[in-house]
C-alpha cells in the first residue's frame, strides 16, 4: 500500500508542476498581449499627435501667407 501512496503523491506533484507551468505560460502570454496593446496605443497616439501638429503648421502657414498677401495688397493700394 505504500507504493500506491507514493505513486499518488508523485502524480499529485506532477499535476501541480504542470499547473504551475501552465499558469506561468498564461501569465506570460497575457503580459505580451498587454505590452502589444500598449505599444499599439502609443503608436496611435503618436500618429494622432503628428497629424494634429501638421494641421496646426499648415494652418499657421496659410495664415502667414494670407497676412503677407493682405499687407502686400494694402501696400499696393497705398502706392496707387
Amino acid at each position: 500500500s505504500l507504493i500506491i501512496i507514493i505513486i499518488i503523491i508523485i502524480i499529485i506533484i506532477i499535476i501541480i508542476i504542470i499547473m504551475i507551468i501552465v499558469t506561468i505560460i498564461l501569465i506570460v502570454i497575457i503580459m505580451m498581449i498587454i505590452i502589444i496593446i500598449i505599444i499599439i496605443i502609443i503608436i496611435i497616439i503618436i500618429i494622432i499627435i503628428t497629424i494634429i501638429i501638421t494641421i496646426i503648421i499648415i494652418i499657421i502657414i496659410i495664415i502667414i501667407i494670407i497676412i503677407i498677401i493682405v499687407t502686400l495688397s494694402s501696400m499696393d493700394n497705398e502706392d496707387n
Side-chain angles (χ1 to χ4, degrees):
S1 93
L2 189 74
I3 290 185
I4 292 183
I5 287 181
I6 286 182
I7 287 182
I8 286 181
I9 285 181
I10 286 182
I11 287 181
I12 285 180
I13 285 180
I14 287 180
I15 285 180
I16 285 180
I17 286 181
I18 286 179
M19 285 183 61
I20 285 180
I21 287 179
V22 161
T23 59
I24 284 180
I25 287 179
L26 272 178
I27 285 179
V28 163
I29 286 179
I30 287 179
M31 289 296 298
M32 290 294 300
I33 288 180
I34 286 179
I35 285 178
I36 286 178
I37 286 180
I38 285 180
I39 285 179
I40 287 180
I41 286 180
I42 284 180
I43 286 179
I44 287 181
I45 284 180
I46 284 180
I47 286 180
I48 287 181
I49 284 181
T50 58
I51 285 181
I52 287 180
I53 284 181
T54 56
I55 286 181
I56 286 180
I57 285 180
I58 287 178
I59 287 181
I60 285 180
I61 285 179
I62 288 181
I63 286 180
I64 286 179
I65 287 180
I66 288 181
I67 285 180
I68 286 179
I69 287 181
V70 161
T71 59
L72 277 181
S73 73
S74 77
M75 285 180 64
D76 271 1
N77 283 343
E78 283 179 3
D79 279 355
N80 285 338

